[in-house]
Amino acid sequence: MSEGHEYTTVVRWTGNRGSGTETYRSYGREHVVEVAGKPVLHGSADPAFLGDPGLMNPEELLVAALAECHMLWYLGICASSGVVVTDYRDPAAGTMVEETAGGGRFTEVVLRPVVTVRDESMRESASKAHEQAHRRCFIANSVNFPVRHEPEIHAES
């Protein structure tokens, strides 16, 4: 039996500089993302699209969502299978292309998790857990571009 989940956010534009969207360059791309009971996330467009380079943009958040989803599944799978992960970081990267007629799309995201496990004997299982995490990741299963994995597994001992 499948179970449904709903996620609600409010995205509110904060970039009105006094004249609204009178011209393409007259307004700011700043906005906030609000989720009830959680800290407000301040965002903007990518600087290539006149955004604030000091704020997160939707493209970065998409890459982060894929990396987070994979990591959370991965850690759960490892915990359930006796693999003790002691460190995890993922310098993930996504590639987006702009179309000449406007718009664009992601062509791929590459996750590069660098994982440390407690013991050398856990390396093989730790490596296989990435395949399982990829198959289970809700976000990866929802996008229409490849999400590749290039993991590194290290052992403490």
Side-chain angles (χ1 to χ4, degrees):
M1 179 176 182
S2 58
E3 186 177 339
H5 302 273
E6 287 191 31
Y7 301 92
T8 304
T9 64
V10 174
V11 175
R12 186 170 45 86
W13 175 50
T14 59
N16 185 344
R17 295 181 178 150
S19 60
T21 58
E22 195 171 280
T23 69
Y24 186 72
R25 293 189 176 276
S26 69
Y27 66 95
R29 276 56 178 177
E30 299 80 23
H31 57 273
V32 294
V33 179
E34 301 167 325
V35 177
K38 297 182 181 180
V40 172
L41 173 69
H42 295 269
S44 186
D46 183 285
F49 308 111
L50 306 180
D52 182 335
L55 299 175
M56 298 286 280
N57 64 60
E59 295 81 11
E60 292 166 330
L61 293 171
L62 177 61
V63 173
L66 284 160
E68 287 175 278
C69 186
H70 182 85
M71 177 192 69
L72 293 169
W73 273 108
Y74 180 81
L75 295 173
I77 290 164
C78 285
S80 297
S81 63
V83 174
V84 180
V85 175
T86 59
D87 191 51
Y88 186 111
R89 69 179 180 83
D90 186 350
T95 302
M96 185 187 79
V97 295
E98 287 184 71
E99 305 295 336
T100 53
R105 63 184 181 85
F106 272 81
T107 56
E108 78 171 348
V109 167
V110 181
L111 305 180
R112 294 181 176 94
V114 179
V115 179
T116 303
V117 295
R118 181 178 289 160
D119 186 83
E120 183 69 34
S121 66
M122 299 174 177
R123 281 176 88 126
E124 186 176 339
S125 295
S127 182
K128 289 180 182 177
H130 282 291
E131 297 164 19
Q132 294 175 50
H134 177 66
R135 284 195 306 272
R136 293 183 179 178
C137 174
F138 304 128
I139 310 298
N141 285 320
S142 300
V143 298
N144 65 353
F145 53 83
V147 178
R148 293 189 304 111
H149 304 89
E150 298 175 357
E152 281 183 40
I153 312 290
H154 303 280
E156 285 183 355
S157 57

